[in-house]
Amino acid sequence: MSSTDKTPALAPVYLPSVALFGATGGCLLSTLVRLLNTPPPSGNSPQHVSVLARSTSKLETLLTTKGVPKETIATRLRIVEGDILTNFDKVVETITLPPNIHSEDKRFVDVILFGIGGYPRATIIPPFFTLDNPTICQDGMSAVLNALRQSPTHYSESTINNKPLILAISSTGVYRGGEDDPRDIYIPMLMIYKCFLSGPHKDKIAMEDVLTAAADSDVNSDAKSNPLCDYLVVRGALFNDQPAEAKPLRAGYPKRVPGVGEGVKWGDVAGPAIGCGVSREDVGRWVWEEVASGRAGWNEEGDYVGEWKGKKVTLT
């Protein structure tokens, strides 16, 4: 955690186990650094944290440059080396609890943080920017959901704690319209988004649809009314590399009513938060504080019951 982090040292109500996909860059690297650099409360075991990474050495180097001690990486982080699209067994391993904390009613981690994205490529025709893999987000999310589906006990009545929360990093500008998903960017920015980001946004929309469908009713299961997971989508405004807390962070979502819930401390926004940009560091800090750290939103039984559950949260 950076020396500029001003987050108060609140004791977590519950320490959720966490799995991360896409933590070698972007927003979730910031979350991972905070997870590792925050000591567990007195008398508690360290938080279980696992990461899927294509290169163990690259991730370890990134973390040490961010101030995470090598000893902490070695003792508090479980790195699973593999590719989310080609190594299905590694995806399963990342979200599955190790034998020492695995129980009959809890096979998977509490939280899956999903920040997979592609590398941009410029073109000479609209949309001018595309991704090296145009379906990386939806395909990666499908891989994680399929890893959950592989559990032979998922739909057993005894697996009451076997439904993880999946938090996915998305983007503003992918709203569907209407009161349930209204515009979340300024009108002058509409053309910029359409010309330069329509390709990547198409993938983000598909990713969100895959996730919310699994959370609403897993149609690929025998028990068609049984949700596979809970979800939370984080739609960041245009991402930048400013340091954390350089500007006040605001959070909102469609139909949010001011004055209640955890959102009071994030600008107390009515509806979605609309802005021009947000730092990756701040998004990672928000994910850590509101979901991954256990400081907010969790009850003592290990259920996420926070304000953001089932919402498409805009951050700016």
Side-chain angles (χ1 to χ4, degrees):
M1 193 181 311
S2 67
S3 59
T4 59
D5 193 327
K6 307 179 184 66
T7 306
L10 301 176
V13 173
Y14 172 78
L15 278 178
S17 51
V18 184
L20 299 94
F21 297 89
T24 54
C27 304
L28 294 187
L29 177 60
S30 172
T31 304
L32 179 58
V33 169
R34 287 171 166 78
L35 282 169
L36 296 177
N37 274 352
T38 303
S42 178
N44 287 66
S45 299
Q47 201 168 356
H48 171 79
V49 182
S50 61
V51 176
L52 181 71
R54 285 181 290 182
S55 170
T56 299
S57 60
K58 176 183 176 182
L59 178 58
E60 290 175 340
T61 300
L62 282 170
L63 290 172
T64 54
T65 59
K66 290 287 186 177
V68 181
K70 291 183 178 180
E71 181 181 354
T72 299
I73 298 171
T75 57
R76 295 190 57 185
L77 180 61
R78 179 190 186 198
I79 302 177
V80 180
E81 188 164 282
D83 186 281
I84 193 169
L85 300 184
T86 59
N87 301 122
F88 180 74
D89 59 328
K90 299 299 183 181
V91 178
V92 173
E93 183 180 346
T94 305
I95 66 172
T96 303
L97 292 171
N100 61 317
I101 54 177
H102 173 201
S103 63
E104 289 185 2
D105 65 347
K106 196 167 199 178
R107 175 171 185 173
F108 299 119
V109 295
D110 296 303
V111 185
I112 298 171
L113 304 180
F114 184 90
I116 294 291
Y119 292 98
R121 285 183 175 176
T123 64
I124 60 174
I125 58 174
F128 299 116
F129 284 95
T130 184
L131 299 175
D132 56 340
N133 182 341
T135 60
I136 179 65
C137 296
Q138 58 186 294
D139 293 344
M141 180 60 71
S142 294
V144 172
L145 294 172
N146 286 334
L148 288 173
R149 292 185 183 104
Q150 62 78 44
S151 170
T153 63
H154 179 77
Y155 294 102
S156 167
E157 292 181 359
S158 66
T159 58
I160 55 175
N161 289 325
N162 211 34
K163 187 174 69 172
L165 172 72
I166 299 181
L167 181 152
I169 303 294
S170 187
S171 171
T172 55
V174 301
Y175 62 92
R176 309 319 196 263
E179 64 177 11
D180 290 331
D181 199 3
R183 175 175 54 83
D184 55 13
I185 58 175
Y186 293 122
I187 292 176
M189 298 176 69
L190 290 173
M191 187 57 65
I192 297 175
Y193 273 62
K194 183 176 181 180
C195 289
F196 294 98
L197 297 173
S198 61
H201 280 183
K202 182 179 179 180
D203 189 29
K204 292 292 188 184
I205 290 170
M207 176 199 71
E208 289 189 9
D209 288 345
V210 168
L211 174 58
T212 55
D216 291 338
S217 177
D218 187 25
V219 296
N220 291 324
S221 74
D222 293 332
K224 294 183 184 299
S225 63
N226 195 346
L228 188 67
C229 60
D230 292 320
Y231 82 91
L232 192 175
V233 172
V234 174
R235 292 174 171 175
L238 289 174
F239 294 114
N240 60 57
D241 292 322
Q242 290 186 354
E245 302 183 76
K247 296 179 180 178
L249 183 64
R250 296 183 298 120
Y253 52 83
K255 296 184 178 180
R256 183 179 187 275
V257 177
V260 296
E262 293 88 353
V264 172
K265 61 185 176 184
W266 302 102
D268 203 16
V269 176
I274 299 178
C276 295
V278 67
S279 77
R280 294 177 178 85
E281 284 287 332
D282 268 333
V283 174
R285 177 173 65 94
W286 186 93
V287 170
W288 173 75
E289 185 168 342
E290 289 299 311
V291 178
S293 69
R295 295 182 177 191
W298 295 88
N299 61 24
E300 294 180 354
E301 288 72 40
D303 301 313
Y304 183 76
V305 295
E307 177 185 358
W308 317 108
K309 179 180 175 180
K311 302 296 193 300
K312 295 175 180 177
V313 182
T314 54
L315 296 181
T316 185

